Amino acid sequence: MDLNLTRVDYLQVGVTSPRTMRLLPEKKAKVPQKVAVADQSGILQCFNIKKGETQMSFKTLPGNKITRLELGGAVGSPADKIFIASGSEVKGYSKKGKQFLGYDTNLTESIKTMWVSGSHLFLGGNYIFNHYVDCKDEDYYLCSDRINDMLCLPLSRIQEVTPVLACQDRVLRVLDKSNLLYELEVAGPPQSLALFADEGGEDGSEVLYGTTDGKIGLVHLDRTSPSHRWEVPNEKRLGGVLCLDNYDMSDDGVPDLVVGRDDGTIEIYGYDDADEPTLRYSTSLSESVSSLQGGVVACQGYNEVVACTYAGWIQGLTTEPQQKKAGPGEMVPLGADAQNKLGTLKTEIDSLQARVLQEREKYHFAAMNDKAISAVPHFDVNDKFTLNRDDASYTLSIEVKAAIDNVLLQSDVPIDLLDTEKNSAVVSYSASDTDQSGNFLLATYRCQANTTRLELKIRSIEGQYGTLQAYITPRLQPKSCQVRQYQIKPLSLHQRTHVLDDSRPMNTLKLTGQFSLAEIHSWVCFCLPEIPERTPPGDTINFYFLSTFLDTQLDCVYKKGEGTFRSDNISTISILKDVLTKEATRRKINLNISYDLQDNSIPDTLQRIHPKLEYQLLLAKKVQLIDALKELQIHEGGDLDFMSPEYRQILEESEKLQEEYKKQPCHLERLYGMITDLFIDKFKFKGTNVKTKVPQLLEVLDNYELQNLIEFFNSGGS
């Protein structure tokens, strides 16, 4: 059953952090609920809607940035107490606004995530998890990677306290007091968690998760045998999942799954007979959805999803019809409530316009005074730079509360800008002298009038590393700009994984020397993405990586004074050797380097590249034929009977083929470059320079056959 929802705007607060808005429960079903929301200016406010008007229940004074808002209460009773986290402090408020708790935890990290259940308080910083009972320390756990979200399985149904941590390294960590019970790998870096059906399913141990790359899944987390139930892939390449909720929007007795994403998409999934989620509704807001929850807010008896965006807009998607139906040519007069609301809005707009005019005149008058100082306006930027496995590219998203005027990109390393459907900005490239200025890219994105969020796709070249800078200019007066930097790492297209295929032939690089564990960890962190900046606990560290472009793998094992790196791709080993040696030399540390190369790893890597190279060669060939085939079609008056089925299919799919080719510029050149690097690196380790034989290699690639290419590698081009 499809849902028919109408968007309603309620209120705007300050810039919000994820998961800082909740609906307070009511004793009776389908009764309008109050909305509690906290923003980064430190203000907590609670309001309700009556006759279409916002009525404030209470509002606190500004303070430190609020990073999380949760509801709590005694186990088995309605969770109507409001808890907020700010810095290292937790405060509690009643639904009438009376503060009953002010607890300074004295944590060394600011609180990022929080979960409240009865007298139990669970807090998470970047890496540290703490459990308190009646505000007394109970348990503590130091995580090896960043904590993105957390929850605890319901204490009303499960006797043991079982916290679940969603960590950046693509695992859910399930704890037993201060000990790790087990780790469960999921489809991507989990960013948000929720109990299935708000109660954890049949036995209280089912947990929903959403990842930074947009996937949604359900896992069963009992204390002995965890398992995956289902996963919804992100085929449309939507944004990452910031928030999840369960609410029966369709009134069929089964809670639906409500999903909020960082590209502004809101989705509602129902469950089919096989208990698999089916998409029933989807819409897109102009800003990232930081919080959402299903409930009843505006009108008694009408379900709705209330969403809070990054810029602080509180909006509802309600099942209440907002317009009266009329027949053909029939005009329906507005009701008294609607007329009053329209009049109030007009008065408010006139008042705001007069105030803006007054403030502008005041500013211009002050600017005429020589002693006046023009203050630079402050604005917050919500930005993310994440690796996508599906197309081996990085997504850079930039969001500002005010409308964006333009974004200037500058890079000192070669990168490609890929087309994305979500981007409506106009891009222009500036010529740059690479030798003198060091700029490989200068591009300006000019945004449309009301654009507050910009999303870009970028693909880098492994082995070439540097910095990408974004100069963000909003439509504010006086003009001001913020600069954000993003590191392009030497092995930038590798992502963390937890499985290694030992059957592949692996090349080994071994380093020994007088370096500490922290020093070699900082070198590896410099080379590879998705590694925590803080050195993980333990004497020996082991990371697995997978290349998103070639599907080759990398195994990193290191400790104080020794590091071993294994990969089935010789080029990966070559890049690591060059960069690690350079970093050690810069710090004046002597390294002893040894390596063990497997000749049979070369054909293995070429066979992994083969399907991608063959597909791109065929795609390029088809695209080159399209214009000639269209000209033939016109010449023959549209009659295609004389053409072969293959050519007819190319004409039928011409738009799709051209669109795909346009989305992946330089894809074929990248594959050629990787094969060339592989050829050079193979013989570099043997002490032979084969750069003069690269033109012969390119000739082999132009007349590509896998076996011929393997023979060329084996013979060294001779």
Side-chain angles (χ1 to χ4, degrees), residues 352-630:
L352 286 171
Q353 286 177 336
R355 188 175 169 188
V356 167
L357 188 63
Q358 183 181 357
E359 291 295 327
R360 184 177 287 137
E361 289 176 354
K362 184 179 175 183
Y363 174 79
H364 284 309
F365 178 77
M368 296 295 289
N369 188 347
D370 294 337
K371 296 180 182 180
I373 298 174
S374 180
V376 176
H378 171 75
F379 61 93
D380 294 295
V381 176
N382 179 27
D383 58 338
K384 289 182 181 177
F385 191 58
T386 53
L387 176 62
N388 308 308
R389 179 174 180 176
D390 296 336
D391 57 359
S393 69
Y394 277 88
T395 298
L396 172 61
S397 63
I398 296 170
E399 188 170 13
V400 184
K401 184 175 181 180
I404 301 173
D405 187 11
N406 63 75
V407 174
L408 170 66
L409 290 185
Q410 179 265 333
S411 174
D412 58 5
V413 62
I415 57 173
D416 292 334
L417 296 180
L418 309 181
D419 283 340
T420 172
E421 295 175 1
K422 299 174 187 175
N423 186 359
S424 59
V426 177
V427 61
S428 57
Y429 296 89
S430 302
S432 57
D433 189 339
T434 306
D435 295 330
Q436 292 185 4
S437 65
N439 292 328
F440 280 90
L441 173 76
L442 285 175
T444 305
Y445 284 85
R446 291 178 175 82
C447 301
Q448 295 181 359
N450 297 317
T451 302
T452 57
R453 187 177 188 276
L454 184 66
E455 187 172 296
L456 316 171
K457 270 188 176 291
I458 292 159
R459 182 174 290 142
S460 57
I461 300 172
E462 288 203 325
Q464 304 196 44
Y465 53 97
T467 306
L468 170 68
Q469 295 191 115
Y471 295 78
I472 306 156
T473 307
R475 295 179 187 272
L476 295 174
Q477 294 296 335
K479 283 290 182 185
S480 60
C481 172
Q482 273 195 37
V483 184
R484 293 296 173 107
Q485 293 187 337
Y486 312 96
Q487 296 303 315
I488 307 292
K489 303 201 173 186
L491 293 173
S492 55
L493 299 182
H494 279 67
Q495 72 165 30
R496 284 279 297 277
T497 183
H498 297 270
V499 180
L500 195 72
D501 183 2
D502 288 323
S503 65
R504 300 186 190 181
M506 302 287 277
N507 307 288
T508 304
L509 170 70
K510 190 171 183 180
L511 308 175
T512 56
Q514 296 297 317
F515 50 78
S516 66
L517 178 63
E519 282 175 322
I520 190 170
H521 177 74
S522 69
W523 301 344
V524 176
C525 186
F526 178 80
C527 291
L528 288 150
E530 301 188 356
I531 289 185
E533 292 182 4
R534 175 180 291 188
T535 307
D539 296 328
T540 302
I541 299 172
N542 190 192
F543 290 128
Y544 297 152
F545 289 89
L546 184 72
S547 169
T548 56
F549 201 85
L550 297 180
D551 293 329
T552 55
Q553 60 187 18
L554 171 64
D555 177 20
C556 304
V557 183
Y558 52 93
K559 58 185 179 181
K560 180 183 177 182
E562 183 181 315
T564 304
F565 305 90
R566 300 188 306 134
S567 175
D568 52 339
N569 187 351
I570 284 183
S571 293
T572 302
I573 294 294
S574 176
I575 292 168
L576 276 172
K577 174 180 170 291
D578 292 344
V579 177
L580 293 176
T581 304
K582 188 176 180 181
E583 285 298 298
T585 304
R586 191 166 61 87
R587 301 191 188 192
K588 299 180 180 179
I589 296 174
N590 291 325
L591 289 182
N592 297 317
I593 302 172
S594 61
Y595 42 84
D596 178 22
L597 304 181
Q598 303 291 324
D599 285 338
N600 57 343
S601 69
I602 298 291
D604 187 75
T605 303
L606 291 175
Q607 284 173 354
R608 294 189 187 283
I609 298 175
H610 171 67
K612 298 178 175 63
L613 182 58
E614 195 173 44
Y615 179 80
Q616 289 298 326
L617 284 167
L618 187 61
L619 177 63
K621 183 181 176 182
K622 286 179 177 178
V623 170
Q624 285 175 347
L625 287 171
I626 287 174
D627 289 340
L629 290 175
K630 282 186 175 178

Side-chain angles (χ1 to χ4, degrees), residues 679 682-683 688 690 692-694 696-697 700 708-718:
F679 179 66
K682 175 188 175 179
F683 291 96
T688 306
V690 292
T692 56
K693 296 180 181 178
V694 169
Q696 295 171 249
L697 174 61
V700 174
N708 291 345
L709 183 61
I710 292 173
E711 288 174 4
F712 185 86
F713 268 76
N714 290 337
S715 65
S718 58

Side-chain angles (χ1 to χ4, degrees), residues 196-227:
F196 179 64
D198 285 336
E199 298 176 346
E202 294 179 0
D203 58 358
S205 58
E206 293 187 330
V207 174
L208 292 157
Y209 68 85
T211 68
T212 56
D213 52 3
K215 300 183 182 74
I216 309 161
L218 176 69
V219 290
H220 182 260
L221 301 177
D222 62 14
R223 297 181 73 84
T224 54
S225 55
S227 60

Side-chain angles (χ1 to χ4, degrees), residues 2 134 257 314 338 378 413 488 491 608 613 649 656 699:
D2 292 330
D134 291 323
L257 172 60
I314 314 293
H378 171 75
V413 62
I488 307 292
L491 293 173
R608 294 189 187 283
L613 182 58
Q649 187 178 3
K656 182 182 174 184
E699 283 182 23

